[in-house]
Each structure stands twice: as C-alpha cells, then as structure tokens.
Amino acid sequence: MVVIGIYCRKHTSGISNFVLGGRSVGPWLTAFAYGTSYFSAVVFIGYAGQFGWKYGIAATWAGIGNAIIGSLLVWVVLGRRTRIMTQHFDSTTMPQFFGQRFQSPSLKIGASVIIFIFLIPYTASLFNGLSRLFGMAFNIDYTVCILLMGVLTGIYVIAGGYMATAINDFVQGCIMLVGICAVVGAVLSLQGGFSEALHSLAAVSDPTTPNGDVPGIFASFFGPDPVSLLGVVILTSLGTWGLPQMVQKFYAIRSEDAIHKGTVISTLFAAVVAGGCYFMGGFGRLFSDKVDVAAEGYDAIVPTMLSELPEILIAVVVVLVLSASMSTLSSLVMASSSTITLDLLKGNVVKKMNDFQAVFIIRCFIVVFVIISMVIAIIQYKFSISFIAQLMGVSWGALAGAFLAPFLYGLYWKKATKAACWVSFLFGVGVMTLNLISSTTGLFPFPALLQSSINCGAFVMLAGLVIVPVVSLFTRKPDAAMVDEAFACYEKKAPVAQKTSLSD
C-alpha cells in the first residue's frame, strides 16, 4: 500500500489529479473503489452479526438490496448524469455541485459543514468491531491496531491521492472477495454444510424477540420482523445514493463506456461481499452457546463464529476486515479533507488559493481527520461511551437523508430549488439529531417504529424524496438559462477519453 502511494505521487499535481485522479480512472478501479468504500468492518463484524441475529437467514435480503439498489441502480441512475454534470460545472465535491447547480454559495458551505460534522464519527465507526476480531486472533492491545491502520492509510492517501486510493482499493477488494468466499464456506462446514446448518437454524426459537417463538422463523424467507428488515435494506442500500464519498466515484470515472462496465463489476462485487456477509451472519444463532449477546453485544457474534476456524483462515479474516476498513477510511478522509478545503476554506477563509496550496492543505487535513478518528475510536473503546457509538449510528442516516433527494433531483429535474435543498438538509440532519437526543436522554419521544436510528434514517431519506419536489413547487425557481445549459450537456456526445495503463 505504501509503495503504491509513493508510485502515484506523480499523479497528484493539481486539484483534479489529487482528488479525482484526473477524471481518468478505469471501470475496474472505480467499481472496486465504490465497493470497498461501501463495505467495511461495520458491515462484516457489526451489521452481519446484529442483523443476522435479529432476522436469521432473511438478513441476506440486506446483501441483495445492497447489490441491486445500492450498486446496480445507483450506477444506472446516477453514474452517467453525475459524471457529465459535474464535469460541466467543474465540481470536484458534492458541496461544489450543490453550490453551482443551485447558484448558492451558502448551500455549498452548509453542505460542507454537514459533511465535516457527520463524516468524522462515521470514520471513527470503522474501527468498531475490530477490537473483538483482534482480541480473538491476537493477544495485542486494540489501540495498536487503530494506530497501525490509521498511519498506513494516511501515508498512502497523502502520498498518492485518489489514484493511490483507487489502486489500493482494487487490491483490497480482491482480498475481500477471496476472503468472504473462504470464510462462508468454512463457517458452514463447521455446522455440517448448508443443508444441515439451515435445518439447525430452523430449530432455533427466541420468545424475547417479535415472532421469535414461531417454528422455523429464523430460517424463513422474510424472518421474524419483515418491516424492520425492510428499514435495514432501505438504509444500507438507498443511503449510498446520497453519501458524498460514494457518488464522488462517478466524478472520477473515465468515460461513459467505463460506467457500463463498472455497473456490472460493482454489482457482482456487492453481491458476493455483502451477500456473503449477511448470509454468514444469518447463522449466528447456531453459536449462541458460545456468546452472550446481552453482555458482550452484537459485535461479539461474528468473531465467535470465526474463532474455531483454522489459523490460516483466521489470518485471511484479519486481512479481509482490515482491507475493508482501510479502503473505506481512505475514501472518507479524502472526502472530508477535500470538502473542508475546497468548499469551506477556499474563497471564504483563504481568499486566493492556488492548486499547490489546496493540495497541501488537503494533505494536512487528511492527517488531522485520521488522528481525530483514531482518538474518537480509542476513547469509545477504552471508556465505552455509548453517546459516541450512537452518534456513529446516526451519521449515515443524517448524511444520506440530507443529500440524497437534492442530489437526485438536481441531476434529473430542472425545477428543483435552492429552498427545497435547504429544507431537505435541515430535515435530514434535524430529525436524526433529535433521534440521537431521544435515544440518549429520553427527550423528544419518537414513535416506536422510528426509535431505531436504522428505521429513522430510512424514513428521512424517503421523506426527502417527497419534500424536495413539494417545496420546489412553492419556492423561487433557479435561473432557467443556466439550468437549460446544464441539462443540455446530457445530449452532447462525450469525447472518448484516452486510456492510460495506470487507470486501466
């Protein structure tokens, strides 16, 4: 990883090269960068264990949703239009897109502040779950793991920028693909194979959960709680449509032909990795005699499942989860540092900032954000501060709830307005913040269905899709000439980009 970072230094001159790889990244690198940014230790250790325990084998629907909604549809719906319109506006970040599409510098600043506030705890959450895995595999302090992961990631991102991140994501993605297949097969073999494991799961019951005492419920098609499972599918799948570090991948891809190829690659990657994670987690209750979920939490389930594997497979798991987490961490710190530099500081705090200065400041903020995320993770681990863990939980919902609808309508609907964007920003962030306060203090009681940050996040995303068009109907429309010119770019034939051996 460090060697790749140093090798890519020659491709980091200028903002576009450092932040977007010169907009010349090929389909394989882009698809793997998208997939590895999507799935981290949060999915493999946290979500797979938690949702597999709650919904049984039906948790696999979350992986299917991630592949179809979170990968296939997002590439089809957003890929081409995002690439073309961001090039038209020459925007390198999501806040820049909002500011130029809706002719509002304040909108750009507001979006950058939201990203800064909520990506930090999201970044720290990547370390969650790793402590259990390393406790199972090694007798070392978890703090050492955090420091090692943060330092290595910081080195190659600072040195090589987006291109180094994309190439490393490809390497790490290959590890994830091989690892998840090997681990799922090994876990099932411990239970006598798929048929025997499914038969054993059908015999499990849990009267403490909704419908948990129904015979065979944890081995059924939709599981014990289909409504809550739907919330998980929506949040973890639809959320990618509004996350800045995810859609930014479409800014950097080389051509429209590369988008078509990347769509297939990304979908298959998600089907294997996410489908495999949730499918494996669905058998977590077969290990209930070895783990006390009430005392140890959901993060203990997957490490317990893996603890009986051969040592070589445990090594594969460690590298798999580290790869997943480091690739996501690199994407997040790149998004955070670039937006705080280009959208908040440039032109506001620093009136005149050339490309050399901007790249230097971005590199400095990468260091700052990596350090902050490590400190938060260590504090949360050492002192088990529940507020931090809950703040991490609302980050995804707040970001996607604020940005999904404005970004989607901004690409497809000429009449979307600046005021509608602001309402979506405030509603998404406001509701998720109130949800956090409600869960920690008991104030602002939420309906039972929305008390979970998962369900609440899904709600604000769907609500935004209604809020933006309704508010746009009653507020001042954007400049018609500017919008017509922006949308006309979709009809122009894009030039064929030159291929380079590095991006291929």
Side-chain angles (χ1 to χ4, degrees), residues 250-472:
F250 302 131
Y251 294 28
I253 197 165
R254 183 179 62 222
S255 64
E256 292 186 30
D257 182 59
I259 292 175
H260 301 320
K261 294 177 182 177
T263 302
V264 177
I265 298 166
S266 178
T267 303
L268 293 176
F269 183 92
V272 174
V273 174
C277 285
Y278 288 111
F279 175 75
M280 181 189 69
F283 294 96
R285 285 184 178 268
L286 299 182
F287 298 81
S288 58
D289 59 325
K290 300 180 179 67
V291 59
D292 184 355
V293 173
E296 301 178 74
Y298 293 114
D299 286 355
I301 296 172
V302 171
T304 300
M305 296 173 68
L306 304 175
S307 62
E308 298 180 12
L309 297 181
E311 288 187 352
I312 184 63
L313 282 181
I314 291 178
V316 169
V317 171
V318 170
V319 178
L320 182 161
V321 177
L322 274 178
S323 296
S325 297
M326 292 178 75
S327 57
T328 308
L329 177 63
S330 64
S331 177
L332 291 173
V333 296
M334 177 65 78
S336 300
S337 57
S338 59
T339 195
I340 202 72
T341 302
L342 302 177
D343 305 323
L344 202 57
L345 298 183
K346 187 176 181 180
N348 298 307
V349 178
V350 182
K351 297 298 182 181
K352 294 183 179 180
M353 183 187 296
N354 59 38
D355 273 14
F356 175 81
Q357 292 171 324
V359 170
F360 176 76
I361 294 173
I362 290 173
R363 283 177 163 142
C364 292
F365 272 113
I366 289 173
V367 175
V368 171
F369 289 143
V370 168
I371 292 174
I372 291 174
S373 66
M374 291 192 298
V375 170
I376 294 175
I378 292 172
I379 291 175
Q380 202 276 325
Y381 170 69
K382 293 287 188 182
F383 301 100
S384 299
I385 301 175
S386 60
F387 174 79
I388 293 177
Q390 290 166 327
L391 182 59
M392 295 171 185
V394 304
S395 295
W396 181 296
L399 288 164
F403 297 144
L404 188 156
F407 189 75
L408 179 63
Y409 284 110
L411 293 175
Y412 274 91
W413 193 38
K414 293 182 179 181
K415 296 182 180 180
T417 66
K418 176 179 71 174
C421 289
W422 273 117
V423 174
S424 180
F425 286 6
L426 296 174
F427 181 82
V429 171
V431 171
M432 293 307 298
T433 302
L434 291 177
N435 178 269
L436 175 65
I437 296 172
S438 176
S439 62
T440 54
T441 66
L443 299 174
F444 311 110
F446 272 57
L449 185 62
L450 299 182
Q451 289 176 3
S452 162
S453 60
I454 299 290
N455 291 343
C456 191
F459 165 74
V460 296
M461 282 188 286
L462 294 176
L465 296 174
V466 177
I467 288 172
V468 170
V470 170
V471 175
S472 295

Side-chain angles (χ1 to χ4, degrees), residues 46 77 122 134 144-145 162 241 359 468 491:
V77 176
Y122 182 22
F134 274 72
V144 175
C145 164
Y162 182 86
W241 295 50
V359 170
V468 170
E491 308 302 326

Side-chain angles (χ1 to χ4, degrees), residues 27 49 198 207 275:
L198 195 62

Side-chain angles (χ1 to χ4, degrees), residues 11-87:
H11 295 276
T12 60
S13 59
I15 290 297
S16 179
N17 286 331
F18 188 82
V19 177
L20 298 177
R23 296 185 187 267
S24 62
V25 184
W28 282 91
L29 293 188
T30 303
F32 271 65
Y34 183 92
T36 54
S37 298
Y38 195 167
F39 308 113
S40 66
V42 176
V43 172
F44 188 80
I45 301 295
Y47 282 3
Q50 177 181 349
F51 301 137
W53 186 271
K54 288 183 175 180
Y55 309 116
I57 198 67
T60 309
W61 280 109
I64 296 173
N66 291 173
I68 296 176
I69 303 173
S71 295
L72 175 62
L73 287 182
V74 72
W75 277 73
V76 171
V77 176
L78 297 184
R80 175 179 179 271
R81 284 183 173 250
T82 298
R83 175 184 174 274
I84 293 175
M85 190 171 280
T86 56
Q87 285 188 337

Side-chain angles (χ1 to χ4, degrees), residues 88 101 414 478-491:
H88 171 77
R101 166 66 178 83
K414 293 182 179 181
D479 179 70
M482 182 276 298
V483 174
D484 288 341
E485 182 183 356
F487 276 72
C489 68
Y490 295 141
E491 308 302 326

